[in-house]
């Protein structure tokens, strides 16, 4: 081979001496043949296929649309062969990337001018090796990688499962049938071929001649590992180019003389790459779903802006998003939190984290050369899970080097265990733990994503890894004795029938008692898991924190406002996701995924834990919980995905108070999903100040139908929402008897919808429209349909700018109503004449009680305290100047009525009420109210 081919060289290379001239024409025929085009089409369809976890973002999320190339730097064998760094901060900090090289330049000539044929591309877990290879293949299929005329990718995982001897020709045609006509002329045609070997750590390669014989014949059947070795040796198809992807620990398995270039994937070490990824991912049209595209596009832009600001603060999330896989997790979590309109049963936060781990680990063993073949995820659960659990129990998020040594090295006793730890350090450690960036904590480690600590702690507990030494020994001894005693008992039973050795069966029956006894102990362990879950779920010190969904949102997007001073004492760490993840891991779907990762949770264990939980979780859930804690409890039931358990828990909730919880579409869907497991009536549902809108009411309508008392105050519900409420009240299964809509911008049109609902509703007895901007037209609409209603007993139209005409109209209609007993009209624009007219209606024996002023003729109204308490409760949401004017009018009316009575008892009552009004006016002016 006396020539060198350079990239982009248009001049044809000279052929070897003696090669026939028709070889070049054969090359052109092969290159332009339909076989390679069919191969490109097939590869494009296969490598563009996204896993199930990607589909939750919608069909527009193709690999081309959201891919950002990670930073790749040129490395060397010396750097790889360096001893693995200790678990120290200095060694784990990401160094600035030098010798950056692009993916398309990996096969450029090296520093000595030699053509590079073999490239080893390595990186730790989560840096994006597989995604980069997929993008490379798709680029070739679309003509964006012209250096190669044929690309043949192989999965080393696939090759590791094949033990039969096979030739290279047969191997290629078996995987890619379209290349049947191309493979026979691969060697003769000088076709520019690229072999891709993805995941080399899955193969045990032996480059010794004694271990793998030389083979240069593509038609000779040999083990798949031998084909890989001879391709890398350049003994088989020497002109072919090869790119190998692997983890750092396996990169050293290939002798350096067979590698032309080492390249390390450094992830998104540049913050601008992180921002670009988030911009592309969160701005896709399919991200927010098909509904309400206009409104959601603004929300997408707001999310990207908040996330960018948080990255610019050099927060811990910046260190986490160094790994492209964590950028994916951030986007998936934000999509779940902000764009989920309905929650399918399989879509849970625990499911997102479990699927995220499956995408990155997919059942890989930690070290294919280790005889134990322990899965990577199982090793992580036993070691990192222990660290996470101890941190949760001690409410600790930062870990010193001593903490890490205690977790990883204290039980190391064999050579195999030390080798596994070495592989874990080089390949996996930085996926879960990263240096802390907080001032004053630079010498500690934190979990890369905070919620991952709680997930791994939950996995550690549920897998039963939290055992004492006696429990571990007892379990192993129980299994051994159980297996031996069964076999021995059969033999002894046979012998005892011939020989009079009756004491032997008794002895071996005693051996069987130990496994049975230990099984009872294991049941107690599951009781302990349930107890831990209940204790962590209902911790009183966490009662008044934000709900967990808001906590996750803040951890990603940051908290707007001034940054905390470094000397200021930090808030206590909270771990409210820990018990929720425990419940989520026990769901059937997550257990199935964890089974693929080598973490087995048996059905019986999950059943016994759920059975034990009924004694603790449901009993504690019956107690009155603060709104945010109740939301966490409902979210726990959603994550648990046990319909029978959830139904029993929900039946015990007769009143649901979620006031002041920001009810996002996701939370509304969770509430609707959890409550739909039963059909019992709810005595009271309080959704005051929950940021509801018409879409929220539509999602919650199956729940609202079953609520007797419904509180919807302070939610900015306009006419669109009133239309949903109208449909709700007109439903034949509606049982709502008390509806409070105070402090919502209902307006005239909303009043018309509610009036239509009043005409046809058969359950409503109390309706509060206090401070809903009705005006005279809205009150008139209510009055027109009020006569058609047969069940309403109380109507509140206070603070709605009603004049004398509208107020008298409402009271006249109410007077003829069969059941209406009380009408609230205080804080409206009613004159003295209107007051006297309303008072005359009150004097009629069959009149209704109209609550207008604090006086009733020459006496104090029986409802003066009620009116003042309503004012005091709603003052933060009302116009203070207007309230002050109304209070002054009430005070003037009290003084006038007091002067008209000579009864000392009544005068004393007037003076008492006047003092309360004056006190309220004084506080209002001081700003203390």
């Amino acid at each position: 081979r006396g020539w060198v081919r350079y990239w982009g060289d248009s001049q044809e290379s000279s052929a070897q001496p003696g090669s026939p001239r028709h070889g070049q024409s054969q090359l052109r025929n092969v290159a332009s043949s339909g076989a390679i085009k069919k191969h490109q089409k097939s590869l494009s369809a296969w490598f563009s296929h996204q896993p199930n976890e990607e589909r939750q973002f919608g069909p527009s999320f193709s690999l081309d649309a959201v891919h950002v190339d990670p930073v790749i730097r040129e490395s060397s064998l010396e750097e790889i062969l360096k001893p693995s760094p200790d678990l120290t901060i200095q060694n784990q900090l990401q160094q600035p990337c030098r010798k950056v090289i692009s993916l398309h330049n990996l096969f450029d000539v090296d520093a000595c001018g030699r053509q590079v044929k073999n490239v080893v591309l390595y990186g730790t877990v989560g840096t994006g090796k597989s995604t980069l290879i997929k993008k490379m293949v798709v680029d070739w299929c679309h003509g964006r990688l012209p250096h190669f005329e044929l690309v043949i990718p192989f999965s080393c995982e696939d090759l590791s499962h094949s033990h039969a001897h096979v030739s290279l020709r047969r191997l290629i045609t078996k995987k890619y049938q379209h290349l049947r006509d191309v493979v026979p002329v691969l060697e003769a045609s000088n076709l520019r071929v690229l072999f891709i070997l993805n995941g080399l750590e899955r193969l045990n390669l032996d480059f010794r001649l004694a271990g793998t014989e030389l083979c240069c014949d593509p038609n000779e059947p040999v083990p798949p590992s031998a084909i890989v070795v001879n391709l890398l040796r350049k003994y088989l198809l020497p002109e072919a180019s090869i790119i190998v992807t692997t983890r750092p620990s396996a990169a050293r398995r290939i002798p350096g003389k067979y590698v032309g270039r080492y390249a390390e994937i450094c992830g998104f070490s540049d913050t601008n790459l992180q921002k670009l990824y988030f911009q592309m991912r969160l701005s896709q049209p399919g991200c927010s779903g098909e509904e309400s595209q206009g409104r959601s596009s603004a929300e997408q832009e707001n999310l990207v802006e908040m996330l960018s600001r948080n990255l610019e603060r050099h927060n811990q999330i910046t260190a986490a998003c160094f790994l492209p896989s964590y950028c994916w997790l951030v986007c998936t979590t934000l999509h779940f939190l902000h764009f989920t309109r309905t929650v399918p049963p399989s879509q849970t936060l625990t499911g997102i984290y479990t699927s995220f781990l499956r995408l990155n680990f997919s059942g890989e063993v930690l070290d294919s050369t280790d005889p134990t073949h322990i899965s990577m995820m199982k090793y992580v659960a036993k070691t990192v899970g222990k660290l996470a659990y101890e941190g949760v129990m001690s409410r600790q998020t930062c870990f010193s080097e001593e903490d890490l040594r205690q977790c990883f090295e204290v039980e190391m006793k064999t050579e195999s265990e030390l080798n596994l730890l070495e592989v874990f350090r080089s390949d996996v450690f930085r996926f879960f733990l990263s240096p802390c960036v907080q001032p004053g904590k630079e010498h500690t480690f934190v979990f890369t994503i905070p919620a991952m600590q709680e997930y791994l702690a939950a996995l550690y507990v549920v897998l039963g890894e939290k055992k004492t030494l006696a429990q571990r020994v007892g379990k192993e001894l129980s299994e051994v004795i159980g297996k031996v005693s069964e076999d021995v008992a059969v033999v002894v039973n046979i012998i005892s029938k011939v020989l009079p050795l009756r004491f032997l069966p008794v002895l071996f029956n005693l051996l069987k008692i130990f496994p049975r006894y230990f099984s009872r102990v294991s049941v107690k362990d599951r009781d302990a898991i349930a107890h831990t879950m209940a204790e962590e779920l209902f911790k009183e010190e966490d009662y008044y924190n934000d709900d967990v969904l808001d906590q996750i949102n803040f951890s990603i997007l940051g908290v707007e406002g001034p940054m905390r001073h470094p000397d200021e004492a930090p808030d206590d760490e909270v771990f409210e996701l820990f018990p929720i993840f425990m419940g989520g891991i026990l769901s059937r779907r997550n257990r199935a995924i964890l089974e693929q990762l080598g973490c087995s949770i048996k059905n019986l264990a999950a059943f016994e834990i759920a059975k034990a939980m009924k004694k603790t979780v449901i009993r504690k859930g019956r107690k009155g919980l603060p709104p945010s804690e109740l939301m966490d409890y409902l979210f726990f039931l959603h994550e648990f995905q046990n319909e029978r358990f959830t139904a029993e828990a929900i039946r015990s909730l007769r009143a649901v108070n979620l006031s002041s919880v920001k009810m996002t579409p996701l939370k509304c869907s969770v509430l609707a999903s959890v409550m739909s497991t039963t059909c019992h009536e709810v005595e009271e549902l309080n959704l005051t100040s929950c940021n509801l809108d018409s879409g929220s009411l539509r999602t919650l309508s199956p729940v609202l139908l079953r609520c007797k008392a419904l509180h919807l105050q302070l939610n900015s519900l306009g006419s669109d929402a009133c239309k949903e409420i109208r449909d709700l009240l007109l439903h034949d299964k509606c049982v709502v008897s008390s509806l409070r809509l105070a402090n919502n911008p209902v307006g005239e049109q909303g009043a018309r919808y509610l009036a239509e609902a009043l005409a046809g509703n058969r359950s409503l007895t109390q309706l509060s429209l206090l401070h809903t901007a009705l005006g005279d037209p809205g009150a008139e609409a209510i009055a027109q349909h009020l006569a058609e209603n047969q069940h309403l007993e109380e109507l509140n139209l206070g603070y709605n700018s009603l004049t004398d005409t509208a107020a008298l109209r409402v009271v006249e209609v109410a007077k003829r109503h069969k059941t209406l007993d009380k009408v609230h009209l205080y804080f409206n624009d009613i004159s003295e004449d209107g007051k006297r007219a309303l008072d005359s209606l009150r004097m009629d024996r069959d009149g209704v009680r109209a609550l207008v002023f604090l006086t009733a003729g020459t006496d104090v109204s029986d409802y003066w305290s009620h009116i003042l308490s309503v004012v005091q409760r709603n003052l933060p949401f009302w116009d203070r100047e207007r309230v002050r004017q109304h209070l002054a009018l009430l005070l003037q009316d009290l003084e006038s009525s007091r002067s008209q009575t000579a009864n000392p008892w009544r005068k004393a009552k007037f003076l008492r009420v006047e003092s309360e009004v004056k006190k309220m006016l004084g506080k209002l002016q001081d700003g203390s109210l």
Side-chain angles (χ1 to χ4, degrees), residues 448-477:
T448 310
I449 291 288
M452 187 59 74
Q453 177 180 354
E454 298 176 76
Y455 181 92
L456 292 178
L459 184 62
Y460 177 77
V461 174
V462 174
L463 285 175
E465 295 296 333
K466 186 176 73 72
K467 291 187 176 74
T468 62
L469 179 62
Q471 289 173 326
R472 294 177 186 274
V473 173
K475 181 180 179 182
E476 296 174 0
L477 190 60

Side-chain angles (χ1 to χ4, degrees), residues 116-158:
V116 172
K117 287 293 184 179
N118 291 352
V119 174
V120 172
L121 187 65
Y122 69 94
T124 58
V125 174
T127 49
K129 300 183 294 294
S130 298
T131 304
L132 195 65
I133 290 301
K134 288 174 67 174
K135 183 64 167 56
M136 187 179 186
V137 173
V138 171
D139 282 350
W140 175 76
C141 294
H142 294 164
R144 294 192 290 268
L145 197 65
H147 311 311
F148 299 105
E149 295 166 317
L150 179 62
V151 171
I152 304 176
F154 284 117
S155 166
C156 292
E157 179 186 9
D158 186 24

Side-chain angles (χ1 to χ4, degrees), residues 271 309-319 437-438:
T271 308
R309 286 201 298 267
N310 204 20
L311 290 172
E312 289 169 0
R313 295 189 189 108
H314 301 287
N315 215 326
Q316 196 65 48
I317 190 175
T318 310
V437 299
Q438 295 181 17

Side-chain angles (χ1 to χ4, degrees), residues 202-219:
R202 304 292 187 99
L203 288 174
N204 289 328
L205 302 182
D206 189 352
F207 282 84
R208 299 172 303 160
L209 289 177
T212 304
E213 62 180 354
L214 296 175
C215 174
C216 62
D217 185 3
N219 298 313

Side-chain angles (χ1 to χ4, degrees), residues 198 290 668:
N198 188 33
E290 298 179 358
C668 291

Side-chain angles (χ1 to χ4, degrees), residues 740 758 765-769 782 786 789 791-798 807 810-826 838 842 846-853 861-867 870:
R740 298 182 182 276
L758 280 177
T765 59
Q766 294 178 333
L767 175 62
S768 175
L769 296 174
I782 295 289
L786 195 56
N789 182 278
H791 300 85
L792 194 65
E793 297 175 3
E794 184 176 352
L795 176 64
N796 191 336
L797 300 179
V810 170
V811 174
E812 286 174 356
V813 175
K815 178 183 174 182
R816 297 189 296 270
H817 196 282
K818 291 182 179 180
T819 59
L820 190 57
D821 177 64
K822 193 185 303 179
V823 178
H824 301 250
L825 294 170
Y826 38 82
L838 290 171
R842 183 188 66 82
D846 58 346
V848 297
R849 287 175 284 179
L851 282 61
V852 185
F853 289 92
S861 171
D862 295 337
Y863 301 98
W864 70 268
S865 60
H866 172 77
I867 295 174
V870 169

